[in-house]
Amino acid sequence: MATFHCSEMKKSLVILIITLFAFSANVFAQSRSGLKINEVMVINENNAIDDFGQRHAWIELFNSTHAPLEISSVYITDDKNNPIKYPVPLGDVNTRIPKRQHVIFWADGCPSRGTFHLNFTLKPGQENWIGVYDADGITLIDEVTIPATLCADQSYARSIDGKGEWEIRNDVGDKYITPSSNNVIRDVNNKIETFAKQDPHGFSMALMAMGVVFSALLVLCLSFLLISKIGSAVARRNKRESQGVTAEEVKGNLADSGEEIAAIVMALHEHLDAHDQESTILTINKVRRSYSPWSSKIYGMRRLPK
Amino acid sequence: MEQSFGDFIVSNLTQFWEFTGFYNATFPHFVMLAVGLFFIWLAIKKNFEPMLLVPIGFGILIGNIPFNTEAGLEIGIYEQGSVLNILYNGVSAGWYPPLIFLGIGAMTDFSALIANPKLMLIGAAAQFGIFGAYMVALAIGFAPDQAGAIAIIGGADGPTAIFLSSKLAPNLMGAIAVSAYSYMALVPVIQPPIMRLLTTKNERLIKMKPARAVSQNEKIIFPIVGLLLTCFVVPTGLPLLGMLFFGNLLRECGVTTRLAKTASNALTDIVTILLGMTVGASTQATTFLTKETIFIFFLGFMAFIIASTSGVLFVKLFNLFLRKDQKINPLIGNAGVSAVPMSARISNNLGLEYDPSNYLLMHAMGPNVAGVIGSAVAAGVLLGFLA
């Protein structure tokens, strides 16, 4: 009994360790590394206005993942020596950024104005370093150094949301300044446009897609040819070892088809006059008729006055 | 000014009258109600896929009861917060199809395929129906994403069609789903003439070697290796392939019988009811009776013909490279479409028609279940290219 418990405990321990490992990997996968600094404006003269009707420097954060991201308790700072300068407060529903969406933080030095107002300002005409730290205050999630040359109403932005090279934008041509919206504005699905242009008749699609479908099933087919060969070899070896027969005899026996095996089993069944074991227990269930006042005769009868 | 009692009664009754179906009915509503009744008739009287056509047919009736759509009564399937809209979320967000695939996996015996893996290639060849229909759809003038969503009808796989159309062309999903299920029900009518046309009498008489017995270990390895290989090639097929192979592992591993039973019976039944009913209800006359719907039905028909043809022709081509004792009867080529087990049954019936001792059912089940995998892979490819 003690041995049984010991082995059971060992088994449980192994399962627990594997589960913990799996969960820790999962936690890592869902960390806030997907949070990116996406666009920054230092001197805001004619650009976005905050909820108090005023213009300030702003920092746009972008959730580059395809799942909502909760950013409360991360830190935003402009000081490498003080990574926990501005903690994003808990308890504000707006700190949950939907997938592939943005939030704007105002660098106005007035944190009392709300969650999205930082307790520092950005310095015009100087290099500004901005960092975002995770809740531990140690893990740097993202950082950027804004060049001192950035003029009024210019922004420093990633060319592609969340991952592109940083560039100066001045709202001329396609260098849009885009507070709280995508840095790359698309009005069409590029993939579909490309297919419509490059492959108007669908030949390339048919060729590529059939190639992939065939490859996938061909790989599966070859794998199973291999697996069945390995399986047969193992079965032959086991039979050879257990029955002491030659390889040729084993090969002949293994070639039996399902139909042949079924025929042999049927013949044995007939010959031995064997039957399945039956329990010989007869169960009689009571038949219940469910009662309902709708079908009850008593309610349909006239009652005698008392 | 206070209303008189009579005016009060009249104004309320007038308002009530404006809410009724009689007041709001239009000709397209009656057309769709007739379509719903036709589906129910097909299912009950002709026994065409009753498990699908009864829920879809009745769903069409539910979805086409005329009512005042501007009243904000939250009863229509497209009105946010309505009961039907909540049930429809499984279709629009695409989570019913993977659950159906879980059930299919738990119901399907892949032995025929494991015993003769080369039959998988027939399942792959039949997917040309999808891409042939894609080309025709482009020629008609559909955009590539819409063409891809419509073309998947050629896979003869309702859940896959719904899954893909919910991602690529949600506005066409109702028509695509109804078309896919309608043609799946009509497989016994569509496929036999094509099979007869493309095969010679000698080919129809080919007797295939009985399949070898498959070990339990092979059956357990199949879903695991199948998942890893196919999803490494096409990760976009993961929701469908993952659930398909998971269901199959539940069935074959031998230690999760209860789970396999639930997945293959209760769960599949529940999801089929909800899926069929909501797909039917999504065919509201105002959104369904359009020129596009007619094209979609035409393209679906084309897709089925191309898929069946390519399956049969591929077997004939394949036979050129096989030894005489390993030849494949081309009558199982049609089973490459994933209408399980209907198309395999058609192969068997046609085989028996020409040789009463030639049972092709188990051989045809190989390409048939390969078709399920193939259509899920094809859906993944289209999603990867066009989403």
Side-chain angles (χ1 to χ4, degrees):
Chain A
M1 198 65 178
T3 323
F4 170 76
H5 278 302
C6 192
S7 67
E8 282 293 302
M9 272 181 65
K10 272 184 190 168
K11 209 190 281 178
S12 305
L13 200 64
V14 169
I15 291 171
L16 186 69
I17 290 167
I18 292 170
T19 313
L20 282 176
F21 181 76
F23 273 100
S24 62
N26 194 30
V27 167
F28 179 76
Q30 291 187 350
S31 74
R32 289 188 270 208
S33 59
L35 184 63
K36 301 286 177 193
I37 302 169
N38 206 45
E39 191 170 2
V40 180
M41 179 173 277
V42 178
I43 309 166
N44 179 3
E45 288 180 357
N46 293 302
N47 201 259
I49 299 171
D50 71 2
D51 35 357
F52 287 82
Q54 294 174 355
R55 291 192 171 87
H56 301 286
W58 48 261
I59 299 165
E60 181 189 76
L61 299 186
F62 176 63
N63 171 12
S64 64
T65 70
H66 287 266
L69 189 65
E70 177 57 56
I71 61 163
S72 58
S73 76
V74 303
Y75 297 97
I76 303 172
T77 180
D78 65 343
D79 184 355
K80 283 183 182 171
N81 299 316
N82 184 10
I84 57 168
K85 193 165 186 178
Y86 180 75
V88 178
L90 294 164
D92 187 334
V93 290
N94 296 318
T95 55
R96 186 179 168 84
I97 313 177
K99 65 171 187 177
R100 310 288 297 169
Q101 293 301 307
H102 319 73
V103 287
I104 287 257
F105 282 88
W106 302 96
D108 55 1
C110 302
S112 58
R113 287 186 169 182
T115 302
F116 297 98
H117 293 262
L118 301 169
N119 57 358
F120 59 86
T121 55
L122 300 180
K123 297 158 203 77
Q126 292 180 30
E127 273 196 353
N128 285 279
W129 177 86
I130 299 165
V132 177
Y133 284 84
D134 211 340
D136 58 5
I138 300 166
T139 313
L140 182 64
I141 298 172
D142 197 17
E143 63 175 329
V144 63
T145 303
I146 314 297
T149 53
L150 202 66
C151 301
D153 291 329
Q154 285 187 340
S155 76
Y156 196 54
R158 290 179 187 271
S159 56
I160 300 168
D161 292 275
K163 60 181 177 186
E165 292 292 310
W166 286 91
E167 62 184 15
I168 293 174
R169 294 188 165 202
N170 53 9
D171 235 353
V172 176
D174 60 348
K175 302 283 183 195
Y176 304 111
I177 296 173
T178 56
S180 207
S181 66
N182 289 354
N183 291 0
V184 178
I185 298 168
R186 286 201 182 104
D187 51 359
V188 289
N189 183 335
N190 283 347
K191 276 185 179 177
I192 291 164
E193 287 293 301
T194 312
F195 265 99
K197 271 186 195 161
Q198 303 285 329
D199 185 28
H201 305 296
F203 292 123
S204 310
M205 167 66 92
L207 201 66
M208 288 187 295
M210 281 306 286
V212 176
V213 174
F214 257 103
S215 312
L217 289 176
L218 186 65
V219 170
L220 201 57
C221 166
L222 294 176
S223 307
F224 271 86
L225 284 172
L226 189 68
I227 288 169
S228 68
K229 277 194 177 159
I230 295 169
S232 302
V234 171
R236 268 200 297 274
R237 195 196 59 196
N238 291 345
K239 201 165 184 179
R240 218 166 45 226
E241 284 173 4
S242 63
Q243 297 180 1
V245 290
T246 64
E248 282 305 308
E249 283 170 330
V250 172
K251 199 175 178 182
N253 285 343
L254 279 178
D256 289 345
S257 70
E259 285 182 358
E260 285 165 341
I261 293 168
I264 293 166
V265 171
M266 281 298 291
L268 283 171
H269 181 80
E270 289 293 314
H271 178 68
L272 299 171
D273 194 24
H275 289 279
D276 294 340
Q277 272 200 336
E278 286 158 7
S279 65
T280 67
I281 297 169
L282 185 65
T283 308
I284 299 172
N285 286 324
K286 188 181 173 188
V287 178
R288 285 169 189 268
R289 287 218 172 78
S290 55
Y291 169 78
S292 164
W294 296 102
S295 58
S296 174
K297 281 183 185 168
I298 192 82
Y299 289 100
M301 293 169 79
R302 187 185 294 267
R303 292 190 182 184
L304 290 171
K306 285 182 182 171
Chain B
M1 202 174 112
E2 208 169 296
Q3 270 185 324
S4 70
F5 179 72
D7 288 346
F8 176 74
I9 297 281
V10 169
S11 72
N12 272 293
L13 284 177
T14 309
Q15 204 178 9
F16 178 76
W17 168 248
E18 286 170 4
F19 281 130
T20 62
F22 297 108
Y23 180 83
N24 291 290
T26 58
F27 178 68
H29 284 113
F30 290 112
V31 173
M32 287 310 298
L33 289 174
V35 171
L37 291 172
F38 176 65
F39 274 32
I40 294 170
W41 176 80
L42 271 182
I44 296 171
K45 285 287 172 196
K46 298 285 172 189
N47 208 24
F48 277 1
E49 297 278 347
M51 302 288 182
L52 297 170
L53 289 191
V54 168
I56 291 178
F58 204 80
I60 293 174
L61 300 187
I62 292 174
N64 286 285
I65 300 292
F67 62 91
N68 186 350
T69 50
E70 288 166 10
L73 299 170
E74 290 191 358
I75 50 173
I77 198 162
Y78 295 115
E79 287 182 77
Q80 196 174 8
S82 75
V83 174
L84 288 176
N85 183 261
I86 292 165
L87 296 178
Y88 186 58
N89 180 267
V91 177
S92 56
W95 53 269
Y96 284 157
L99 288 177
I100 294 270
F101 261 61
L102 178 75
I104 293 172
M107 276 187 259
T108 308
D109 181 1
F110 283 97
S111 301
L113 199 61
I114 301 168
N116 195 357
K118 62 177 180 283
L119 297 180
M120 283 183 204
L121 298 179
I122 303 172
Q127 304 315 315
F128 188 68
I130 296 173
F131 303 105
Y134 174 81
M135 289 194 272
V136 181
L138 285 181
I140 287 178
F142 282 101
D145 50 346
Q146 293 178 328
I150 297 166
I152 197 70
I153 298 171
D157 196 331
T160 308
I162 291 169
F163 178 77
L164 192 70
S165 55
S166 72
K167 309 283 176 201
L168 292 182
N171 55 325
L172 302 178
M173 188 169 53
I176 289 170
V178 172
S179 170
Y181 280 118
S182 309
Y183 288 127
M184 275 165 67
L186 293 172
V187 157
V189 181
I190 299 171
Q191 286 194 327
I194 299 168
M195 293 155 72
R196 284 198 185 94
L197 185 72
L198 297 175
T199 51
T200 62
K201 199 181 174 194
N202 284 343
E203 284 172 333
R204 288 176 218 141
L205 295 173
I206 292 175
K207 274 201 172 174
M208 294 171 68
K209 266 171 56 177
R212 69 176 175 83
V214 174
S215 72
Q216 181 75 7
N217 283 343
E218 283 177 285
K219 287 184 185 178
I220 293 172
I221 292 169
F222 181 78
I224 298 168
V225 172
L227 171 76
L228 295 177
L229 289 179
T230 52
C231 289
F232 265 72
V233 177
V234 195
T236 36
L238 192 58
L240 298 175
L241 291 166
M243 294 300 255
L244 176 78
F245 288 123
F246 173 51
N248 191 244
L249 183 64
L250 290 180
R251 172 198 165 95
E252 300 298 356
C253 68
V255 289
T256 52
T257 317
R258 269 174 49 198
L259 301 187
K261 265 188 187 166
T262 304
S264 59
N265 294 314
L267 183 64
T268 306
D269 290 350
I270 291 167
V271 182
T272 304
I273 290 168
L274 294 175
L275 181 78
M277 193 274 288
T278 49
V279 161
S282 70
T283 61
Q284 281 185 0
T286 44
T287 55
F288 191 78
L289 281 183
T290 59
K291 192 177 69 183
E292 276 84 16
T293 305
I294 297 165
F295 283 141
I296 288 167
F297 270 77
F298 166 71
L299 286 167
F301 185 63
M302 290 292 299
F304 264 68
I305 290 175
I306 299 170
S308 309
T309 305
S310 50
V312 175
L313 290 180
F314 179 78
V315 175
K316 288 170 69 113
L317 180 73
F318 204 23
N319 274 342
L320 298 177
F321 304 97
L322 294 175
R323 286 203 316 259
K324 199 177 176 186
D325 61 327
Q326 289 186 333
K327 297 266 189 226
I328 301 170
N329 191 319
L331 289 181
I332 70 167
N334 71 304
V337 301
S338 61
V340 182
M342 182 74 87
S343 48
R345 229 181 286 152
I346 292 163
S347 305
N348 190 54
N349 291 347
L350 223 62
L352 288 174
E353 202 177 291
Y354 292 95
D355 178 357
S357 67
N358 196 3
Y359 291 91
L360 292 172
L361 186 65
M362 281 317 288
H363 300 293
M365 279 307 286
N368 211 183
V369 292
V372 178
I373 302 172
S375 62
V377 171
V381 173
L382 285 169
L383 201 58
F385 282 147
L386 299 173

